[in-house]
């Protein structure tokens, strides 16, 4: 309660607003909601931050989300609870190797997931999020374009199967989604035959094959609401349960099984970097020491990364 109160008054003093991802911890999402901020996927976070009149954005998520906010709103101060909150997809797609890969295939349109660094975005023709991935690739395919897709190989394969597009895929993966286990999920389905299985397409093929609905976070929340089943087995970061349970309070939500049990699972379906976004860290960020909190993107990089990001926002309208 101490930090919640402190953050609330700091937000007012500093003309700041919290922009939080669905995968952050419930207390962070609740605070964002209570204080007029947003809880959303990366596309909505980008839109919300760019349109909001606050002079400071506190981005509770992982680093690329802060960078995206700064690229779209250079006039705003963008703070993060910690700049150490990384993303395995971003880490798995280093700038130099990626640029070389693109240069080897100059005939291909470069489409990168939002989960990448500003430098990787700067080399891209398009940025995309999972909520519009299939539509955008369908559109580019209809124009006869051949695609480089980076960094998530599972999402790339899923989009390829949905669209039939010619896609050359970077071999990255999300450590959370990569960990869902097929045999355990089959057992769980047998245990809860009335449950629908909801799967994020960053998961391995065998998990997607067991799904009743496949989609991005916002699409899975809608599916949980719309499907008639009384319960859901959910294969994505369990941070999503906060908004999913709000959307369907009467339904029972189970997290899909991950590799290992208890203390032996690597992520246990929760991103360790998202979990770094705590209340104290938000208070510290707002309190003044910008070191370790303030997102900076050089103007040269910003201008280059802005183009494919704006194309994404225009396409998503
Ligand atoms: C995002 O766009 O925030 C992530 O891909 C998760 C999702 O929304 O599916």
């Amino acid at each position: 309660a101490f930090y919640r109160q402190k953050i609330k008054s700091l937000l007012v003093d500093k003309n700041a607003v919290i922009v939080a991802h669905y995968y952050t911890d419930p207390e962070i999402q609740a605070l964002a909601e209570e204080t007029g901020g947003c809880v959303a996927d990366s596309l909505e976070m980008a839109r919300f931050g760019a349109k909001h009149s606050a002079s400071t954005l506190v981005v509770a998520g992982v680093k690329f989300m802060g960078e995206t906010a700064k690229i779209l709103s250079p006039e705003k101060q963008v703070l993060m609870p910690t700049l150490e909150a990384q993303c395995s997809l971003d880490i798995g797609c280093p700038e130099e190797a990626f640029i070389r890969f693109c240069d080897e295939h100059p005939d291909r349109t470069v489409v990168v997931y939002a989960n990448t660094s500003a430098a990787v975005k700067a080399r891209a023709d398009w940025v995309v999020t999972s909520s519009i991935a299939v539509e955008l690739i369908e559109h580019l395919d209809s124009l006869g374009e051949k695609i480089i897709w980076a960094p998530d190989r599972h999402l790339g394969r899923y989009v390829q199967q949905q669209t039939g597009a010619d896609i050359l895929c970077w071999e990255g993966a999300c450590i959370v989604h990569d960990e869902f286990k097929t045999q355990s999920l089959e057992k769980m389905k047998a245990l809860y035959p009335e449950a629908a299985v909801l799967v994020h397409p960053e998961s391995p093929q065998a998990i997607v094959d067991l799904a009743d609905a496949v989609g991005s976070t916002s699409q899975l929340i809608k599916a949980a609401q719309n499907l008639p089943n009384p319960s859901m087995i959910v294969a994505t970061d369990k941070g999503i349960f906060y908004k999913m349970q709000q959307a369907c309070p009467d339904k029972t939500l189970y997290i899909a099984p991950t590799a290992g049990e208890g203390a032996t699972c690597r992520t246990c379906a929760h991103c360790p970097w998202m979990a770094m976004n705590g209340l104290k860290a938000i208070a510290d960020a707002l309190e003044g020491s910008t070191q370790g909190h303030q997102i900076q993107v050089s103007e040269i990089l910003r201008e280059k990364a802005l183009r494919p990001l704006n194309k994404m926002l225009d396409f998503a309208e």
Side-chain angles (χ1 to χ4, degrees):
F2 170 73
Y3 284 117
R4 286 166 50 82
Q5 277 318 320
K6 189 166 172 177
I7 292 168
K8 283 183 182 177
S9 61
L10 282 166
L11 287 170
V12 177
D13 291 352
K14 309 261 163 150
N15 186 22
V17 68
I18 300 175
V19 187
H21 193 270
Y22 288 131
Y23 293 162
T24 54
D25 289 340
E27 61 183 7
I28 306 299
Q29 298 186 45
L31 184 64
E33 282 182 330
E34 280 168 42
T35 52
C38 87
V39 178
D41 64 10
S42 50
L43 177 63
E44 282 310 314
M45 286 171 77
R47 282 173 163 161
F48 181 91
K51 285 194 189 139
H52 203 279
S53 61
S55 53
T56 295
L57 305 175
V58 181
V59 177
V62 295
K63 194 169 173 200
F64 76 83
M65 297 171 183
E67 284 187 345
T68 297
K70 187 68 186 173
I71 292 164
L72 293 172
S73 307
E75 74 292 354
K76 289 177 186 152
Q77 170 167 248
V78 177
L79 301 175
M80 296 196 73
T82 167
L83 299 182
E84 317 252 291
Q86 277 287 353
C87 166
S88 50
L89 287 164
D90 180 354
I91 293 172
C93 189
E95 173 188 358
E96 279 171 29
F98 181 67
I99 290 175
R100 227 178 302 128
F101 180 65
C102 296
D103 290 348
E104 283 163 14
H105 305 280
D107 56 324
R108 288 179 179 265
T109 302
V110 179
V111 180
V112 304
Y113 205 24
N115 305 37
T116 48
S117 64
V120 164
K121 289 187 177 77
R123 178 61 182 82
D125 300 301
W126 289 88
V127 175
V128 73
T129 65
S130 41
S131 59
I132 54 166
V134 170
E135 285 96 322
L136 177 68
I137 298 301
E138 231 159 35
H139 168 70
L140 297 178
D141 183 50
S142 75
L143 300 176
E145 294 184 25
K146 295 197 293 174
I147 313 290
I148 281 180
W149 172 276
D152 191 287
R153 64 194 168 99
H154 297 306
L155 184 59
R157 180 210 62 244
Y158 175 74
V159 169
Q160 197 285 324
Q161 288 168 353
Q162 295 295 307
T163 62
D166 181 339
I167 295 181
L168 181 63
C169 209
W170 186 265
E171 289 289 311
C174 161
I175 53 168
V176 176
H177 292 94
D178 216 19
E179 204 175 46
F180 290 115
K181 279 286 165 267
T182 319
Q183 279 182 357
S184 317
L185 181 54
E186 276 166 348
K187 279 191 204 143
M188 198 166 176
K189 270 178 71 130
L191 199 61
Y192 301 106
E194 74 294 347
V197 176
L198 308 182
V199 174
H200 193 285
E202 282 172 28
S203 308
Q205 168 92 59
I207 299 292
V208 172
D209 288 345
L210 293 174
D212 296 294
V214 181
S216 70
T217 49
S218 46
Q219 290 161 353
L220 292 182
I221 290 171
K222 282 201 195 96
Q225 244 176 332
N226 295 339
L227 286 168
N229 309 60
S231 55
M232 308 285 148
I233 301 172
V234 183
T236 190
D237 189 296
K238 63 186 171 199
I240 200 176
F241 279 14
Y242 178 76
K243 292 301 284 183
M244 196 177 266
Q245 195 74 76
Q246 258 182 17
C248 41
D250 300 333
K251 295 187 183 176
T252 307
L253 308 178
Y254 305 105
I255 193 71
T258 53
E261 301 273 322
T264 66
C265 61
R266 231 178 6 146
T267 69
C268 301
H270 188 39
C271 172
W273 291 295
M274 285 285 180
M276 293 167 91
N277 290 277
L279 292 176
K280 178 175 184 308
I282 294 183
D284 288 349
L286 279 165
E287 255 194 323
S289 146
T290 50
Q291 209 187 356
H293 297 291
Q294 177 152 253
I295 289 281
Q296 311 263 25
V297 179
S298 78
E299 190 52 25
I300 296 180
L301 199 54
R302 194 188 75 78
E303 277 175 18
K304 286 191 188 153
L306 181 62
R307 255 177 297 150
L309 265 170
N310 271 337
K311 281 163 77 176
M312 168 183 87
L313 292 175
D314 289 346
F315 181 84
E317 277 215 334

